């Protein structure tokens, strides 16, 4: 995917959908197959003045499967999670 085209959607997610505010902790959970998408989301969060973090895990076997414990713990402390 082209990051230049993806940033428009990422900005909409940050501004309209999640209403990310400056200094909020934004956690982006991904797997190693989708890191480029996570990077674009982190860029959009950074533009809003948020603290953006990317957690990369092994791909799950199915949607809704629990993340590893360290990521689950980070999710509890984040203001916004993607």
């Amino acid at each position: 995917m082209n990051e230049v085209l993806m940033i428009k959607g990422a900005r909409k997610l940050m501004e309209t959908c999640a209403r990310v505010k400056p200094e909020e902790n934004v956690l982006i959970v991904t797997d190693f197959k989708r890191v480029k998408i996570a990077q674009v989301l982190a860029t959009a969060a950074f533009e809003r003045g948020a603290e953006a973090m990317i957690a990369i895990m092994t791909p799950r076997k199915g949607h809704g499967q629990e993340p590893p414990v360290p990521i689950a713990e980070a999710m509890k402390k984040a203001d916004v999670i993607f």
Side-chain angles (χ1 to χ4, degrees):
M1 286 189 217
N2 187 333
E3 292 86 358
V4 174
L5 297 174
M6 290 173 27
I7 192 68
K8 183 177 179 181
R11 287 178 179 142
K12 185 172 222 166
L13 283 171
M14 297 298 156
E15 296 168 10
T16 305
C17 299
R19 296 184 182 178
V20 172
K21 298 174 188 66
E23 299 184 22
E24 281 190 312
N25 291 307
V26 176
L27 177 64
I28 302 151
V29 180
T30 190
D31 61 44
F32 58 77
K33 295 178 182 178
R34 295 174 178 86
V35 173
K36 292 275 187 200
I37 296 168
Q39 290 172 328
V40 173
L41 289 169
T43 298
F46 176 79
E47 289 176 348
R48 306 261 317 152
E51 181 70 38
M53 297 158 281
I54 299 173
I56 304 171
M57 62 184 176
T58 304
R60 305 287 93 184
K61 292 179 183 176
H63 293 291
Q65 185 180 356
E66 291 295 318
V69 172
I71 292 178
E73 290 300 315
M75 291 170 75
K76 292 177 185 177
K77 297 183 183 208
D79 298 308
V80 179
I81 304 163
F82 288 98

